[in-house]
Amino acid sequence: METRTDVLVVGLGVTGAALCHELARRGADVVGVDRHEPPHGLGASHGRSRIIREAYFEHPLYVPLVQRAYELWAELEELTGAVLYRRTGGLMVGPADGRLVTGSLASARDHGLPHEMLDAGAIRSRFPGLHPEADWVGVFEPRAGALMPELCVRTLLDLARGHGAVVHTGTSVDDWRVVDDGDVVVGTSAGTIRARRLVLAAGPWMNAALAMERGPALQLPFAVERQVSHWFAPGPGLHAFRPDSCPVVIWEYGVNRLFYTFPDLGHGVKAGIHHEGIPADPDTVDRVVGMGEEQRMRRLLDAYMPGAAHTALTAEVCLYTNTPDGDFVIDRHPQLEQVMLVSACSGHGFKFAPAVAEVVVDELLEGGSAFDLEPFRVSRLL
């Protein structure tokens, strides 16, 4: 049996879910497939909370995209009544000449973003749970906060279905090819799907999805990295880690070495090291978090958020899919214009999903986007 559709989206993490929603909302006939049952904890779109921030230390070019994402997340909340975003404020803290502070400050200044510069004393006074080094500084941005990833994915998929999208979960892709009439024919465990356009948004499975092309497959330098998030219960009677008195924080604790923390949003204080993980295969990755990993996280929290890591609650593995330069890939396949690649977010892509979906759908349905995609082209990696 063969199904026909305008667009087939492979991968239904937050990006794929947002793509299905945006395509269906605009009237396209769309099918989405995922080998698992999203939202799930096996890829990159999970973890109970994800930071959304505007003073983007990675590069100022991301700021307009994340600003549009803020608008779209708010529209989704208004439409559904779901609470997808929790505003806490955000602090980027570390050495004044470090990449984190200088990059955040550059984005804030370039785009006229509300922000404050705080020295270590001011940070400790305003946020008593935070104990930066005496010579560190922070960039505080009031609009930063947390997105709820599982709820975001579920909401987007529900809305996509409501607009007529067909969603196949527990469905694997076996192969795909472009045929003579220009369609893309995809073999799946649920049957053959023929689409005018194919969007690969497979996250950690992106290398595998590319390799399924019949014929010479495109090879890109995507590297999957094992990451660990931890949750801890603060010490008895400590209120400094509640969201009304503690922001989301990114800490530069060594040269280009970062970890992140969340206030207790109901599941304990969340913390994790950003990058520094080991290479991984998404199908064979070790999902058991070792005691040494917990102890390393505890040492950082004991140093900079004393009392936050009183009792370990849980920990889970997440997967980053990295490009060599840390920037996204949003582009057409270099040999096959019917195929769009939307992946490799390098550990900082969740917050952008609805804005990225809007840009991609503009490309697919309108022939181009007003947003400059040049920094995200595949050609830079070839």
Side-chain angles (χ1 to χ4, degrees), residues 224-290:
V224 179
E225 181 183 9
R226 178 183 180 273
Q227 299 293 134
V228 179
S229 297
H230 304 260
W231 287 262
F232 297 93
L238 290 180
H239 305 303
F241 306 112
R242 293 177 176 176
D244 57 355
S245 55
C246 183
V248 296
V249 188
I250 300 179
W251 307 78
E252 186 169 13
Y253 69 103
V255 178
N256 288 323
R257 302 182 73 185
L258 308 175
F259 76 99
Y260 59 84
T261 56
F262 289 78
D264 185 350
L265 297 170
H267 304 98
V269 171
K270 180 183 176 182
I273 294 171
H274 185 53
H275 292 298
E276 301 187 46
I278 61 174
D281 181 306
D283 294 323
T284 61
V285 61
D286 183 3
R287 296 191 179 274
V288 177
V289 177

Side-chain angles (χ1 to χ4, degrees), residues 2-255:
E2 183 176 271
T3 300
R4 290 179 176 265
T5 189
D6 292 337
V7 185
L8 172 62
V9 177
V10 174
L12 298 177
V14 70
T15 300
L19 282 162
C20 285
H21 168 245
E22 184 65 14
L23 284 160
R25 186 187 69 80
R26 294 204 210 175
D29 188 18
V30 56
V31 174
V33 300
D34 195 286
R35 64 188 300 181
H36 299 294
E37 299 289 339
H40 57 74
L42 301 175
S45 295
H46 60 99
R48 303 180 186 177
S49 54
R50 287 299 181 89
I51 293 176
I52 182 167
R53 52 193 166 87
E54 206 170 1
Y56 221 68
F57 77 87
E58 288 86 347
H59 199 285
L61 71 89
Y62 285 95
V63 175
L65 193 62
V66 78
Q67 289 178 321
R68 180 58 179 153
Y70 267 102
E71 294 172 353
L72 293 170
W73 287 122
E75 288 179 13
L76 289 168
E77 287 188 315
E78 185 174 355
L79 181 65
T80 65
V83 180
L84 306 177
Y85 158 66
R86 179 77 177 269
R87 178 170 173 163
T88 63
L91 187 67
M92 312 298 116
V93 61
D97 60 353
R99 178 190 175 212
L100 178 63
V101 168
T102 59
S104 299
L105 196 57
S107 284
R109 288 173 174 170
D110 284 0
H111 292 277
L113 304 177
H115 69 283
E116 295 178 71
M117 286 298 300
L118 304 175
D119 62 21
I123 292 170
R124 291 181 182 226
S125 176
R126 185 179 300 188
F127 309 114
L130 308 183
H131 287 235
E133 301 286 352
D135 60 346
W136 286 2
V137 299
V139 180
F140 178 76
E141 56 170 300
R143 203 153 71 119
L147 292 167
M148 311 307 157
E150 288 84 358
L151 182 57
C152 288
V153 173
R154 188 178 298 113
T155 299
L156 287 164
L157 289 176
D158 286 347
L159 287 171
R161 292 184 181 100
H163 286 295
V166 176
V167 175
H168 295 297
T169 60
T171 302
S172 61
V173 171
D174 302 318
D175 58 67
W176 60 270
R177 68 191 188 278
V178 176
V179 294
D180 290 344
D181 64 1
D183 285 353
V184 187
V185 176
V186 182
T188 80
S189 59
T192 301
I193 302 173
R194 178 183 286 259
R196 294 177 58 239
R197 298 288 184 267
L198 171 65
V199 182
L200 299 179
W205 292 273
M206 195 67 174
N207 286 330
L210 288 169
M212 289 173 186
E213 180 189 357
R214 289 192 189 178
L218 176 66
Q219 295 183 340
L220 294 175
F222 295 156
V224 179
E225 181 183 9
R226 178 183 180 273
Q227 299 293 134
V228 179
S229 297
H230 304 260
W231 287 262
F232 297 93
L238 290 180
H239 305 303
F241 306 112
R242 293 177 176 176
D244 57 355
S245 55
C246 183
V248 296
V249 188
I250 300 179
W251 307 78
E252 186 169 13
Y253 69 103
V255 178

